Amino acid sequence: MSTHINPNLNRRRRQLTVDDLFNSLRQGDISALSQAITLIESTNREDTAFAKAILSKALPYSGNSFRLGITGVPGVGKSTFIEALGIHLIKDQRKVAVLAIDPSSSISRGSILGDKTRMEELVKSDRAFIRPSPAGTTLGGVARKTREAIILCEAAGYDFIVVETVGVGQSETAVHSMTDFFLLLKLAGAGDNLQGIKRGIMEMADMIVINKADGDNKRAAQQAVREFKNALHVMPAKTHGWTTLVTTASGLEQQGITEVLNCITDFKNHSYANDSFKRKRDHQEIYWLHQTIEDHLKSRFYNQPDIQQRLTSIEKQLLAKQITAFEAADLLLGL
Ligand code: GDP
C-alpha cells in the first residue's frame, strides 16, 4: 500500500519544489538561481531530473539577453575589465550575470579562473550574479552546464550575460558558440603579442581590446592596435558583414569601457538589421544539438564494458600491424 502512496507523495513534493524554486528564480532570487545552477552541475540522477524540469520551465523565458564572450590569457585583466563593464551596466539598470568556462578545472582540478576572489565590487550588487566555472571531466560537459546556466540566468531576468574563458584548448570555440559577441582581450608588448595568437581566434573576435592601456603602457597599446588592425586587414571579411573593431582600454582605470559598450550597441543594431543575430543563435542551437549527440554517443560507446575490455587488445593488434585502424574501428563498432 505504502509503495503506492509514497511515489505520488514524492512526485507531488518534488513538483511543488520545482515550482517553488522556479518561481523564486523568476522573481530574481539569487539564491534560488544559485541552487538551480547547482542542480544542473550535479551528477546525481535525481538532481539531473530536477534540473531538467527547471530548465524546461525556464526555456520559454530565455533568450532575451545579450551574451558576451570574453577571452584572454590569465593576467590579461579579465576580472578587472568585466567588473568595470559590469558596474557600468548595472548603473544603467541592467542585470549582469558572469559565468565562466575554465578548461583547467577538467584538466588539473585546480582552476585558473575560479580560485581567486574576483570582482569584489560587482559581487556586492544585487543586480549582479557571478558564478565560477562548473567542474567537469570534459570541455563538452563544462560547456553544456554553462549553456544551461545561461538559460536559467535569462529566466531570472539577467539581460546581459558575460561568459569568460582563458585561451586553453577549445574553450574559446565553446564560448564563441554560445555567445552573440566575442571579445578578445590582449596585452601590448611581449608575451601576448600578435605572433603568439592562435589561428582562428582573430576570425572569431568581433572586437579586440588591448587592455592595460594606462601609464607607461599607453604608447605600446596604440602600437598594438595598429598591428592588429593591419593583421585584420589581410584577413577575409566576416560573413555577416561586421568589421572587427580594435581599441584600447584600461579595466583598472575604467577607461575605454564606454567605447566597448558602444561597439556592442553598434553590433546589435547591425546584426538585428541584417538578421544575422537570430541566424547566429539558430546556428548555435543546431550546433549544440549535434555536439550533444556526439558527446552522448561517444561516452555511451566507450562506457560499454565489452568495449573497454576489447579496446586494449585491439590497440595492441593495431600497433603490431596485425590490423589497420579502420578494421579495428569496424570491429569495435560491430560493422
Ligand atoms: P585575469 O587573470 O585575466 O582575470 O586578470 P585580473 O583582472 O585578475 O588582473 C591581473 C592583474 O593585472 C592584477 O594584478 C590587476 O590589478 C592587474 N590589472 C588588471 N587590469 C589592469 C589594467 O587595466 N591596467 C593595469 N595597469 N593593471 C591591470
Side-chain angles (χ1 to χ4, degrees):
M1 196 58 187
S2 62
T3 50
H4 281 108
I5 293 166
N6 278 339
N8 287 336
L9 267 182
N10 279 340
R11 208 176 303 138
R12 222 174 295 144
R13 205 177 299 142
R14 229 349 153 202
Q15 186 56 42
L16 194 71
T17 324
V18 167
D19 285 347
D20 278 351
L21 191 60
F22 180 69
N23 290 338
S24 306
L25 180 149
R26 279 289 291 157
Q27 280 156 23
D29 178 343
I30 287 191
S31 92
L33 176 60
S34 277
Q35 259 177 292
I37 296 180
T38 304
L39 287 168
I40 280 175
E41 293 177 354
S42 167
T43 47
N44 175 299
R45 247 173 198 280
E46 232 179 289
D47 290 347
T48 312
F50 202 124
K52 265 190 187 162
I54 297 255
L55 265 173
S56 62
K57 277 181 159 291
L59 197 59
Y61 301 97
S62 68
N64 296 322
S65 78
F66 190 79
R67 302 167 182 171
L68 168 69
I70 294 191
T71 186
V73 295
V76 73
K78 289 182 295 303
S79 306
T80 314
F81 181 86
I82 293 168
E83 177 156 58
L85 195 75
I87 287 169
H88 218 287
L89 285 161
I90 56 180
K91 276 189 193 145
D92 236 8
Q93 299 310 307
R94 307 289 296 266
K95 283 187 76 179
V96 184
V98 183
L99 308 172
I101 289 191
D102 184 348
S104 61
S105 60
S106 63
I107 300 164
S108 64
R109 285 178 182 269
S111 149
I112 297 175
L113 288 168
D115 286 347
K116 51 190 174 163
T117 315
R118 312 168 70 238
M119 304 174 216
E120 285 171 356
E121 274 307 306
L122 191 60
V123 84
K124 287 185 204 151
S125 167
D126 58 2
R127 305 187 71 81
F129 176 76
I130 299 167
R131 179 91 182 182
S133 173
T137 46
T138 62
L139 173 63
V142 174
R144 176 198 168 144
K145 291 170 196 168
T146 305
R147 266 205 111 234
E148 293 178 336
I150 292 178
I151 294 173
L152 295 182
C153 288
E154 289 172 347
Y158 291 86
D159 59 0
F160 200 103
I161 316 277
V162 180
V163 187
E164 64 167 317
T165 194
V166 287
V168 176
Q170 292 296 307
S171 70
E172 282 157 328
T173 310
V175 172
H176 179 252
S177 49
M178 64 176 78
T179 50
D180 304 313
F181 186 92
F182 196 62
L183 191 156
L184 172 62
L185 274 187
K186 295 293 287 180
L187 293 176
D192 194 32
N193 55 11
L194 194 54
Q195 277 73 41
I197 199 162
K198 265 197 274 177
R199 274 195 173 275
I201 301 300
M202 294 271 281
E203 277 120 282
M204 277 194 239
D206 295 300
M207 182 175 199
I208 298 171
V209 173
I210 313 297
N211 197 29
K212 302 196 184 181
D214 44 44
D216 295 342
N217 235 342
K218 274 187 191 158
R219 189 189 285 262
Q222 286 304 338
Q223 175 61 24
V225 167
R226 283 191 290 276
E227 285 170 16
F228 274 94
K229 277 187 177 164
N230 286 340
L232 282 169
H233 210 66
V234 294
M235 275 173 40
K238 283 188 173 289
T239 44
H240 50 280
W242 174 253
T243 308
T244 306
L245 204 88
V246 189
T247 183
T248 60
S250 164
L252 200 63
E253 295 187 351
Q254 310 205 355
Q255 297 289 322
I257 305 298
T258 321
E259 285 75 2
V260 170
L261 289 171
N262 287 343
C263 176
I264 288 175
T265 306
D266 287 348
F267 177 86
K268 252 161 84 174
N269 293 339
H270 170 89
S271 56
Y272 280 159
N274 69 9
D275 207 32
S276 58
F277 192 88
K278 182 172 182 313
R279 264 186 284 129
K280 192 174 187 177
R281 283 211 175 170
D282 288 351
H283 183 82
Q284 291 176 341
E285 289 297 334
I286 305 287
Y287 168 83
W288 283 105
L289 167 69
H290 290 282
Q291 196 64 34
T292 311
I293 292 173
E294 271 173 42
D295 289 349
H296 270 286
L297 287 177
K298 239 175 155 172
S299 73
R300 200 190 286 171
F301 175 76
Y302 284 109
N303 285 335
Q304 292 173 77
D306 173 48
I307 295 298
Q308 286 174 354
Q309 257 175 17
R310 288 165 63 209
L311 193 60
T312 322
S313 84
I314 289 191
E315 278 173 358
K316 277 188 192 142
Q317 290 177 40
L318 172 70
L319 296 182
K321 295 200 185 328
Q322 291 164 352
I323 193 170
T324 68
F326 309 104
E327 283 173 314
D330 281 356
L331 269 179
L332 289 166
L333 289 162
L335 297 175

